[in-house]
Amino acid sequence: PLDGKRVAVCVFNKGKSQKKVSFSIDKLTEISDVNLDKKEKYNILNCWTDEKSEGKEIVSLTEKHGCDVFIIS
């Protein structure tokens, strides 16, 4: 958890090829240690590309042995 009801999420690909990963942000709100309120849509920031989007799902195309980091608010 981050300040201001934000959460950082890291997607790590341990595989030998590029991998597409997607997950519902609503599921994060169900974890007691995560200080994130359930919303109609979330602000999503990709920390590597500085790409900003809105939605309820993170989709990451992560390179082999790579990681993607997102901040959700």
Side-chain angles (χ1 to χ4, degrees):
L2 303 171
D3 66 340
K5 297 227 179 221
R6 299 177 308 147
V7 175
V9 174
C10 179
V11 177
F12 182 65
N13 179 4
K14 298 190 319 183
K16 295 181 180 181
S17 61
Q18 188 180 61
K19 195 76 124 173
K20 183 177 182 178
V21 176
S22 63
F23 64 90
S24 167
I25 298 171
D26 281 343
K27 290 201 177 259
L28 290 175
T29 66
E30 298 170 7
I31 301 170
S32 62
D33 292 334
V34 175
N35 188 20
L36 187 65
D37 294 330
K38 195 174 238 185
K39 299 180 181 180
E40 287 297 315
K41 61 183 174 182
Y42 301 90
N43 295 308
I44 305 164
L45 171 66
N46 182 320
C47 293
W48 299 150
T49 65
D50 206 32
E51 179 183 344
K52 297 174 184 172
S53 61
E54 293 182 336
K56 293 185 75 96
E57 183 175 62
I58 287 182
V59 178
S60 174
L61 188 58
T62 308
E63 296 297 326
K64 65 179 182 177
H65 305 291
C67 70
D68 291 312
V69 178
F70 300 91
I71 295 178
I72 303 164
S73 59

